mmCIF file of all heavy atoms in Angstrom:
data_model
loop_
_atom_site.group_PDB
_atom_site.id
_atom_site.type_symbol
_atom_site.label_atom_id
_atom_site.label_comp_id
_atom_site.label_asym_id
_atom_site.label_seq_id
_atom_site.Cartn_x
_atom_site.Cartn_y
_atom_site.Cartn_z
ATOM 1 N N ALA A 1259 -2.664 -71.004 -22.927
ATOM 2 C CA ALA A 1259 -1.221 -71.258 -22.226
ATOM 3 C C ALA A 1259 -0.884 -72.724 -22.019
ATOM 4 O O ALA A 1259 0.339 -73.171 -22.214
ATOM 5 C CB ALA A 1259 -1.231 -70.517 -20.934
ATOM 6 N N ALA A 1260 -1.992 -73.514 -21.722
ATOM 7 C CA ALA A 1260 -1.770 -74.941 -21.502
ATOM 8 C C ALA A 1260 -1.415 -75.580 -22.839
ATOM 9 O O ALA A 1260 -0.985 -76.803 -22.840
ATOM 10 C CB ALA A 1260 -2.994 -75.505 -20.858
ATOM 11 N N LEU A 1261 -1.676 -74.960 -23.916
ATOM 12 C CA LEU A 1261 -1.475 -75.690 -25.203
ATOM 13 C C LEU A 1261 -0.277 -75.036 -26.020
ATOM 14 O O LEU A 1261 -0.124 -75.463 -27.180
ATOM 15 C CB LEU A 1261 -2.703 -75.448 -26.056
ATOM 16 C CG LEU A 1261 -3.978 -76.187 -25.593
ATOM 17 C CD1 LEU A 1261 -5.185 -75.705 -26.369
ATOM 18 C CD2 LEU A 1261 -3.892 -77.725 -25.595
ATOM 19 N N GLU A 1262 0.389 -74.192 -25.285
ATOM 20 C CA GLU A 1262 1.483 -73.401 -25.987
ATOM 21 C C GLU A 1262 2.584 -74.359 -26.589
ATOM 22 O O GLU A 1262 3.296 -73.943 -27.390
ATOM 23 C CB GLU A 1262 2.154 -72.375 -25.041
ATOM 24 C CG GLU A 1262 2.727 -72.864 -23.783
ATOM 25 C CD GLU A 1262 3.349 -71.809 -22.968
ATOM 26 O OE1 GLU A 1262 3.011 -70.692 -23.101
ATOM 27 O OE2 GLU A 1262 3.981 -72.191 -22.023
ATOM 28 N N HIS A 1263 2.686 -75.524 -26.024
ATOM 29 C CA HIS A 1263 3.788 -76.429 -26.517
ATOM 30 C C HIS A 1263 3.276 -77.030 -27.824
ATOM 31 O O HIS A 1263 4.131 -77.588 -28.578
ATOM 32 C CB HIS A 1263 3.885 -77.653 -25.600
ATOM 33 C CG HIS A 1263 2.579 -78.460 -25.355
ATOM 34 N ND1 HIS A 1263 1.538 -78.143 -24.736
ATOM 35 C CD2 HIS A 1263 2.380 -79.696 -25.864
ATOM 36 C CE1 HIS A 1263 0.640 -79.008 -24.824
ATOM 37 N NE2 HIS A 1263 1.118 -80.052 -25.462
ATOM 38 N N ARG A 1264 2.019 -76.773 -28.163
ATOM 39 C CA ARG A 1264 1.624 -77.268 -29.459
ATOM 40 C C ARG A 1264 1.965 -76.330 -30.641
ATOM 41 O O ARG A 1264 1.935 -76.672 -31.900
ATOM 42 C CB ARG A 1264 0.020 -77.562 -29.440
ATOM 43 C CG ARG A 1264 -0.469 -78.400 -28.467
ATOM 44 C CD ARG A 1264 -0.110 -79.765 -28.885
ATOM 45 N NE ARG A 1264 -0.796 -80.108 -30.162
ATOM 46 C CZ ARG A 1264 -0.621 -81.267 -30.900
ATOM 47 N NH1 ARG A 1264 0.139 -82.177 -30.367
ATOM 48 N NH2 ARG A 1264 -1.241 -81.547 -32.082
ATOM 49 N N GLY A 1265 2.184 -75.126 -30.381
ATOM 50 C CA GLY A 1265 2.477 -74.055 -31.501
ATOM 51 C C GLY A 1265 2.207 -72.720 -30.803
ATOM 52 O O GLY A 1265 2.354 -72.591 -29.629
ATOM 53 N N ARG A 1266 2.018 -71.757 -31.739
ATOM 54 C CA ARG A 1266 1.769 -70.404 -31.215
ATOM 55 C C ARG A 1266 0.505 -69.744 -32.027
ATOM 56 O O ARG A 1266 0.291 -70.120 -33.175
ATOM 57 C CB ARG A 1266 2.919 -69.494 -31.476
ATOM 58 C CG ARG A 1266 3.421 -69.416 -32.855
ATOM 59 C CD ARG A 1266 4.714 -68.418 -32.940
ATOM 60 N NE ARG A 1266 5.304 -68.412 -34.121
ATOM 61 C CZ ARG A 1266 5.964 -67.356 -34.815
ATOM 62 N NH1 ARG A 1266 5.934 -66.160 -34.002
ATOM 63 N NH2 ARG A 1266 6.512 -67.492 -35.932
ATOM 64 N N PHE A 1267 -0.120 -68.848 -31.419
ATOM 65 C CA PHE A 1267 -1.269 -68.202 -31.895
ATOM 66 C C PHE A 1267 -0.780 -66.908 -32.832
ATOM 67 O O PHE A 1267 -0.084 -66.149 -32.291
ATOM 68 C CB PHE A 1267 -2.298 -67.893 -30.939
ATOM 69 C CG PHE A 1267 -3.014 -68.939 -30.406
ATOM 70 C CD1 PHE A 1267 -2.592 -69.638 -29.345
ATOM 71 C CD2 PHE A 1267 -4.187 -69.380 -30.889
ATOM 72 C CE1 PHE A 1267 -3.161 -70.686 -28.697
ATOM 73 C CE2 PHE A 1267 -4.922 -70.543 -30.415
ATOM 74 C CZ PHE A 1267 -4.319 -71.225 -29.220
ATOM 75 N N ARG A 1268 -1.306 -67.005 -34.117
ATOM 76 C CA ARG A 1268 -0.880 -65.912 -34.962
ATOM 77 C C ARG A 1268 -2.016 -65.342 -35.808
ATOM 78 O O ARG A 1268 -3.042 -65.985 -35.980
ATOM 79 C CB ARG A 1268 0.265 -66.355 -36.015
ATOM 80 C CG ARG A 1268 1.531 -66.812 -35.277
ATOM 81 C CD ARG A 1268 2.616 -67.111 -36.214
ATOM 82 N NE ARG A 1268 2.927 -65.889 -37.155
ATOM 83 C CZ ARG A 1268 3.604 -65.996 -38.249
ATOM 84 N NH1 ARG A 1268 4.186 -67.034 -38.652
ATOM 85 N NH2 ARG A 1268 3.914 -64.833 -38.831
ATOM 86 N N ASP A 1269 -1.937 -64.141 -36.260
ATOM 87 C CA ASP A 1269 -2.971 -63.603 -37.067
ATOM 88 C C ASP A 1269 -3.046 -64.254 -38.276
ATOM 89 O O ASP A 1269 -2.090 -64.541 -39.060
ATOM 90 C CB ASP A 1269 -2.602 -62.128 -37.311
ATOM 91 C CG ASP A 1269 -3.603 -61.349 -38.116
ATOM 92 O OD1 ASP A 1269 -4.588 -61.045 -37.527
ATOM 93 O OD2 ASP A 1269 -3.376 -61.072 -39.325
ATOM 94 N N LEU A 1270 -4.321 -64.468 -38.726
ATOM 95 C CA LEU A 1270 -4.546 -65.274 -40.021
ATOM 96 C C LEU A 1270 -4.031 -64.591 -41.135
ATOM 97 O O LEU A 1270 -3.556 -65.276 -42.091
ATOM 98 C CB LEU A 1270 -6.035 -65.638 -40.100
ATOM 99 C CG LEU A 1270 -6.438 -66.400 -41.405
ATOM 100 C CD1 LEU A 1270 -5.767 -67.826 -41.464
ATOM 101 C CD2 LEU A 1270 -7.941 -66.531 -41.410
ATOM 102 N N ARG A 1271 -4.201 -63.261 -41.230
ATOM 103 C CA ARG A 1271 -3.692 -62.445 -42.446
ATOM 104 C C ARG A 1271 -2.213 -62.717 -42.562
ATOM 105 O O ARG A 1271 -1.679 -62.754 -43.656
ATOM 106 C CB ARG A 1271 -4.033 -61.091 -42.281
ATOM 107 C CG ARG A 1271 -3.770 -60.176 -43.502
ATOM 108 C CD ARG A 1271 -3.808 -58.805 -43.277
ATOM 109 N NE ARG A 1271 -4.867 -58.368 -42.399
ATOM 110 C CZ ARG A 1271 -5.969 -57.564 -42.815
ATOM 111 N NH1 ARG A 1271 -5.999 -57.175 -44.020
ATOM 112 N NH2 ARG A 1271 -6.821 -57.131 -41.802
ATOM 113 N N ALA A 1272 -1.492 -62.739 -41.378
ATOM 114 C CA ALA A 1272 0.040 -62.897 -41.524
ATOM 115 C C ALA A 1272 0.438 -64.216 -42.022
ATOM 116 O O ALA A 1272 1.513 -64.420 -42.852
ATOM 117 C CB ALA A 1272 0.669 -62.734 -40.281
ATOM 118 N N VAL A 1273 -0.253 -65.285 -41.757
ATOM 119 C CA VAL A 1273 0.222 -66.676 -42.180
ATOM 120 C C VAL A 1273 -0.495 -67.150 -43.441
ATOM 121 O O VAL A 1273 -0.167 -68.177 -44.054
ATOM 122 C CB VAL A 1273 -0.025 -67.667 -41.079
ATOM 123 C CG1 VAL A 1273 0.862 -67.293 -39.831
ATOM 124 C CG2 VAL A 1273 -1.470 -67.792 -40.635
ATOM 125 N N ALA A 1274 -1.505 -66.470 -43.865
ATOM 126 C CA ALA A 1274 -2.352 -66.960 -45.143
ATOM 127 C C ALA A 1274 -1.536 -67.313 -46.275
ATOM 128 O O ALA A 1274 -1.795 -68.295 -46.923
ATOM 129 C CB ALA A 1274 -3.438 -65.934 -45.333
ATOM 130 N N PRO A 1275 -0.417 -66.428 -46.566
ATOM 131 C CA PRO A 1275 0.285 -66.804 -47.731
ATOM 132 C C PRO A 1275 0.958 -68.133 -47.725
ATOM 133 O O PRO A 1275 1.354 -68.655 -48.657
ATOM 134 C CB PRO A 1275 1.332 -65.605 -47.808
ATOM 135 C CG PRO A 1275 0.698 -64.456 -47.179
ATOM 136 C CD PRO A 1275 -0.077 -65.144 -45.965
ATOM 137 N N LEU A 1276 1.117 -68.707 -46.450
ATOM 138 C CA LEU A 1276 1.749 -70.036 -46.354
ATOM 139 C C LEU A 1276 0.798 -71.125 -46.370
ATOM 140 O O LEU A 1276 1.318 -72.311 -46.270
ATOM 141 C CB LEU A 1276 2.531 -69.998 -44.979
ATOM 142 C CG LEU A 1276 3.572 -68.838 -44.864
ATOM 143 C CD1 LEU A 1276 4.148 -68.834 -43.378
ATOM 144 C CD2 LEU A 1276 4.570 -68.908 -45.932
ATOM 145 N N LEU A 1277 -0.392 -70.801 -46.285
ATOM 146 C CA LEU A 1277 -1.436 -71.875 -46.268
ATOM 147 C C LEU A 1277 -1.975 -72.328 -47.688
ATOM 148 O O LEU A 1277 -1.967 -71.657 -48.528
ATOM 149 C CB LEU A 1277 -2.726 -71.399 -45.465
ATOM 150 C CG LEU A 1277 -2.324 -70.841 -44.075
ATOM 151 C CD1 LEU A 1277 -3.705 -70.280 -43.422
ATOM 152 C CD2 LEU A 1277 -1.935 -72.022 -43.101
ATOM 153 N N SER A 1278 -2.483 -73.540 -47.641
ATOM 154 C CA SER A 1278 -3.198 -73.933 -48.884
ATOM 155 C C SER A 1278 -4.591 -73.290 -48.926
ATOM 156 O O SER A 1278 -5.057 -72.816 -47.936
ATOM 157 C CB SER A 1278 -3.476 -75.572 -48.797
ATOM 158 O OG SER A 1278 -4.338 -75.925 -47.924
ATOM 159 N N GLN A 1279 -5.125 -73.348 -50.157
ATOM 160 C CA GLN A 1279 -6.444 -72.840 -50.408
ATOM 161 C C GLN A 1279 -7.514 -73.366 -49.353
ATOM 162 O O GLN A 1279 -8.302 -72.582 -48.779
ATOM 163 C CB GLN A 1279 -6.949 -72.919 -51.664
ATOM 164 C CG GLN A 1279 -8.145 -72.219 -52.226
ATOM 165 C CD GLN A 1279 -7.638 -70.727 -52.718
ATOM 166 O OE1 GLN A 1279 -6.558 -70.458 -52.684
ATOM 167 N NE2 GLN A 1279 -8.600 -70.063 -53.277
ATOM 168 N N ASP A 1280 -7.546 -74.709 -49.168
ATOM 169 C CA ASP A 1280 -8.409 -75.382 -48.353
ATOM 170 C C ASP A 1280 -8.169 -74.928 -46.856
ATOM 171 O O ASP A 1280 -9.172 -74.909 -46.086
ATOM 172 C CB ASP A 1280 -8.384 -76.928 -48.483
ATOM 173 C CG ASP A 1280 -8.766 -77.298 -49.894
ATOM 174 O OD1 ASP A 1280 -9.492 -76.451 -50.570
ATOM 175 O OD2 ASP A 1280 -8.490 -78.479 -50.288
ATOM 176 N N GLU A 1281 -6.904 -74.946 -46.476
ATOM 177 C CA GLU A 1281 -6.710 -74.612 -45.080
ATOM 178 C C GLU A 1281 -7.117 -73.104 -44.743
ATOM 179 O O GLU A 1281 -7.578 -72.869 -43.705
ATOM 180 C CB GLU A 1281 -5.117 -74.711 -44.877
ATOM 181 C CG GLU A 1281 -4.620 -76.099 -44.736
ATOM 182 C CD GLU A 1281 -2.989 -76.277 -44.838
ATOM 183 O OE1 GLU A 1281 -2.325 -75.152 -45.139
ATOM 184 O OE2 GLU A 1281 -2.592 -77.216 -44.297
ATOM 185 N N GLY A 1282 -6.918 -72.219 -45.690
ATOM 186 C CA GLY A 1282 -7.107 -70.843 -45.409
ATOM 187 C C GLY A 1282 -8.647 -70.745 -45.229
ATOM 188 O O GLY A 1282 -9.163 -70.018 -44.492
ATOM 189 N N ALA A 1283 -9.448 -71.414 -46.135
ATOM 190 C CA ALA A 1283 -10.999 -71.333 -46.190
ATOM 191 C C ALA A 1283 -11.447 -71.939 -44.912
ATOM 192 O O ALA A 1283 -12.327 -71.331 -44.294
ATOM 193 C CB ALA A 1283 -11.463 -72.172 -47.354
ATOM 194 N N LEU A 1284 -10.891 -72.987 -44.308
ATOM 195 C CA LEU A 1284 -11.340 -73.569 -43.087
ATOM 196 C C LEU A 1284 -11.100 -72.716 -41.931
ATOM 197 O O LEU A 1284 -11.928 -72.484 -40.979
ATOM 198 C CB LEU A 1284 -10.759 -74.848 -42.794
ATOM 199 C CG LEU A 1284 -11.100 -75.694 -41.597
ATOM 200 C CD1 LEU A 1284 -12.564 -75.970 -41.451
ATOM 201 C CD2 LEU A 1284 -10.316 -76.966 -41.413
ATOM 202 N N LEU A 1285 -9.938 -72.027 -41.884
ATOM 203 C CA LEU A 1285 -9.482 -71.309 -40.716
ATOM 204 C C LEU A 1285 -10.364 -69.988 -40.790
ATOM 205 O O LEU A 1285 -10.633 -69.465 -39.761
ATOM 206 C CB LEU A 1285 -8.001 -71.014 -40.773
ATOM 207 C CG LEU A 1285 -7.096 -72.175 -40.539
ATOM 208 C CD1 LEU A 1285 -5.730 -71.845 -40.658
ATOM 209 C CD2 LEU A 1285 -7.396 -72.829 -39.459
ATOM 210 N N ALA A 1286 -10.558 -69.512 -41.966
ATOM 211 C CA ALA A 1286 -11.426 -68.077 -41.984
ATOM 212 C C ALA A 1286 -12.824 -68.435 -41.510
ATOM 213 O O ALA A 1286 -13.363 -67.586 -40.850
ATOM 214 C CB ALA A 1286 -11.403 -67.742 -43.485
ATOM 215 N N TYR A 1287 -13.325 -69.598 -41.881
ATOM 216 C CA TYR A 1287 -14.682 -70.009 -41.445
ATOM 217 C C TYR A 1287 -14.803 -70.112 -39.916
ATOM 218 O O TYR A 1287 -15.593 -69.532 -39.341
ATOM 219 C CB TYR A 1287 -15.005 -71.321 -42.148
ATOM 220 C CG TYR A 1287 -16.330 -71.980 -41.799
ATOM 221 C CD1 TYR A 1287 -17.297 -71.279 -41.261
ATOM 222 C CD2 TYR A 1287 -16.398 -73.351 -42.165
ATOM 223 C CE1 TYR A 1287 -18.515 -71.946 -41.061
ATOM 224 C CE2 TYR A 1287 -17.537 -74.043 -41.963
ATOM 225 C CZ TYR A 1287 -18.727 -73.326 -41.299
ATOM 226 O OH TYR A 1287 -19.812 -74.058 -41.229
ATOM 227 N N ALA A 1288 -13.840 -70.742 -39.420
ATOM 228 C CA ALA A 1288 -13.666 -70.829 -37.878
ATOM 229 C C ALA A 1288 -13.497 -69.518 -37.238
ATOM 230 O O ALA A 1288 -14.346 -69.178 -36.210
ATOM 231 C CB ALA A 1288 -12.671 -71.823 -37.445
ATOM 232 N N LYS A 1289 -12.580 -68.699 -37.648
ATOM 233 C CA LYS A 1289 -12.400 -67.396 -37.071
ATOM 234 C C LYS A 1289 -13.676 -66.479 -37.107
ATOM 235 O O LYS A 1289 -13.926 -65.802 -36.173
ATOM 236 C CB LYS A 1289 -11.202 -66.673 -37.828
ATOM 237 C CG LYS A 1289 -10.864 -65.404 -37.378
ATOM 238 C CD LYS A 1289 -9.728 -64.853 -38.278
ATOM 239 C CE LYS A 1289 -9.216 -63.574 -37.846
ATOM 240 N NZ LYS A 1289 -10.280 -62.524 -38.017
ATOM 241 N N THR A 1290 -14.276 -66.519 -38.175
ATOM 242 C CA THR A 1290 -15.450 -65.652 -38.341
ATOM 243 C C THR A 1290 -16.639 -66.128 -37.423
ATOM 244 O O THR A 1290 -17.436 -65.272 -36.899
ATOM 245 C CB THR A 1290 -15.865 -65.591 -39.804
ATOM 246 O OG1 THR A 1290 -14.887 -65.224 -40.656
ATOM 247 C CG2 THR A 1290 -17.113 -64.645 -40.096
ATOM 248 N N LEU A 1291 -16.827 -67.349 -37.385
ATOM 249 C CA LEU A 1291 -18.057 -67.943 -36.525
ATOM 250 C C LEU A 1291 -17.686 -67.618 -35.065
ATOM 251 O O LEU A 1291 -18.617 -67.150 -34.314
ATOM 252 C CB LEU A 1291 -17.979 -69.340 -36.877
ATOM 253 C CG LEU A 1291 -19.359 -69.980 -36.241
ATOM 254 C CD1 LEU A 1291 -20.666 -69.480 -36.829
ATOM 255 C CD2 LEU A 1291 -19.421 -71.535 -36.453
ATOM 256 N N ILE A 1292 -16.447 -67.811 -34.691
ATOM 257 C CA ILE A 1292 -16.231 -67.469 -33.244
ATOM 258 C C ILE A 1292 -16.258 -66.022 -33.034
ATOM 259 O O ILE A 1292 -16.707 -65.539 -31.956
ATOM 260 C CB ILE A 1292 -14.857 -68.093 -32.921
ATOM 261 C CG1 ILE A 1292 -14.999 -69.606 -32.818
ATOM 262 C CG2 ILE A 1292 -14.213 -67.488 -31.597
ATOM 263 C CD1 ILE A 1292 -13.813 -70.378 -32.387
ATOM 264 N N TYR A 1293 -15.739 -65.218 -33.889
ATOM 265 C CA TYR A 1293 -15.913 -63.751 -33.760
ATOM 266 C C TYR A 1293 -17.354 -63.269 -33.457
ATOM 267 O O TYR A 1293 -17.669 -62.474 -32.552
ATOM 268 C CB TYR A 1293 -15.335 -62.970 -34.862
ATOM 269 C CG TYR A 1293 -15.505 -61.589 -34.862
ATOM 270 C CD1 TYR A 1293 -14.439 -60.694 -34.366
ATOM 271 C CD2 TYR A 1293 -16.566 -60.942 -35.437
ATOM 272 C CE1 TYR A 1293 -14.522 -59.374 -34.320
ATOM 273 C CE2 TYR A 1293 -16.718 -59.486 -35.362
ATOM 274 C CZ TYR A 1293 -15.777 -58.848 -34.879
ATOM 275 O OH TYR A 1293 -15.816 -57.435 -34.719
#
Side-chain angles (χ1 to χ4, degrees):
L1261 297 170
E1262 61 182 6
H1263 64 286
R1264 301 284 305 176
R1266 57 177 175 149
F1267 287 89
R1268 296 189 60 188
D1269 181 77
L1270 179 57
R1271 194 194 311 246
V1273 300
L1276 305 175
L1277 303 175
S1278 71
Q1279 194 88 353
D1280 294 342
E1281 290 170 338
L1284 179 62
L1285 298 180
Y1287 179 16
K1289 176 181 181 295
T1290 303
L1291 192 60
I1292 285 181
Y1293 177 88

